[in-house]
Amino acid sequence: MNNTDLQKQISEHFSELPSAMQGVFSDMSWMDQVEDIGKKYNLSEEQIQSLLIDTSMIMLGVVHIDEYKKNLVQELKINEEQAKLIENDVNSILFNKIKPYLPELYNKKAENVAILLL
């Protein structure tokens, strides 16, 4: 997926977020914090970009939060131990603040997809 397509999808999903989530997402400071986590674990620039995308997909409700660690292993090509450390850090700086919204947001997206497939 190219950058333009990704930005378009993010905009579409962003507009569906509850206002509290829009505030967190649009603050953008989370991106610097997640990037710092990537640097802490010596990730390459490409891996950091993937980490940012994976994190944003959770925040937008596109991917369930329970899939985060597995996706980090697959996308970043890191081991489970390192993925767990990264997941813990991202939880502490970001996801713990928005966890109450995430399951409902994901379920709503899944319902919309299911309706489209009928």
Side-chain angles (χ1 to χ4, degrees):
M1 176 179 311
N2 68 37
N3 223 9
T4 304
D5 291 339
L6 181 61
Q7 288 176 341
K8 183 179 176 188
Q9 282 193 347
I10 288 173
S11 291
E12 289 172 12
H13 292 293
F14 177 81
S15 68
E16 300 169 358
L17 291 176
S19 59
M21 286 286 297
Q22 285 182 349
V24 171
F25 194 88
S26 63
D27 175 18
M28 304 301 263
S29 65
W30 66 270
M31 293 180 81
D32 291 333
Q33 294 170 318
V34 170
E35 189 173 327
D36 288 344
I37 290 169
K39 289 175 183 174
K40 174 181 175 182
Y41 293 101
N42 298 314
L43 299 181
S44 69
E45 284 302 315
E46 184 178 310
Q47 287 173 310
I48 290 171
Q49 290 308 307
S50 290
L51 177 62
L52 288 165
I53 291 168
D54 289 340
T55 303
S56 66
M57 293 297 110
I58 299 292
M59 294 175 69
L60 293 168
V62 176
V63 176
H64 196 282
I65 192 165
D66 292 344
E67 299 295 313
Y68 190 62
K69 184 176 78 169
K70 181 182 87 168
N71 288 348
L72 294 180
V73 170
Q74 291 175 347
E75 297 293 322
L76 305 180
K77 297 175 181 25
I78 59 177
N79 63 45
E80 292 215 12
E81 182 180 319
Q82 188 176 20
K84 182 64 178 168
L85 292 170
I86 292 170
E87 178 186 45
N88 288 342
D89 283 0
V90 174
N91 276 333
S92 69
I93 62 108
L94 179 61
F95 290 156
N96 287 341
K97 298 174 191 173
I98 59 174
K99 266 191 181 161
Y101 300 101
L102 295 177
E104 181 181 336
L105 184 59
Y106 175 80
N107 290 337
K108 182 178 176 184
K109 297 265 187 217
E111 286 173 18
N112 290 341
V113 169
I115 289 169
L116 290 174
L117 294 175
L118 291 176

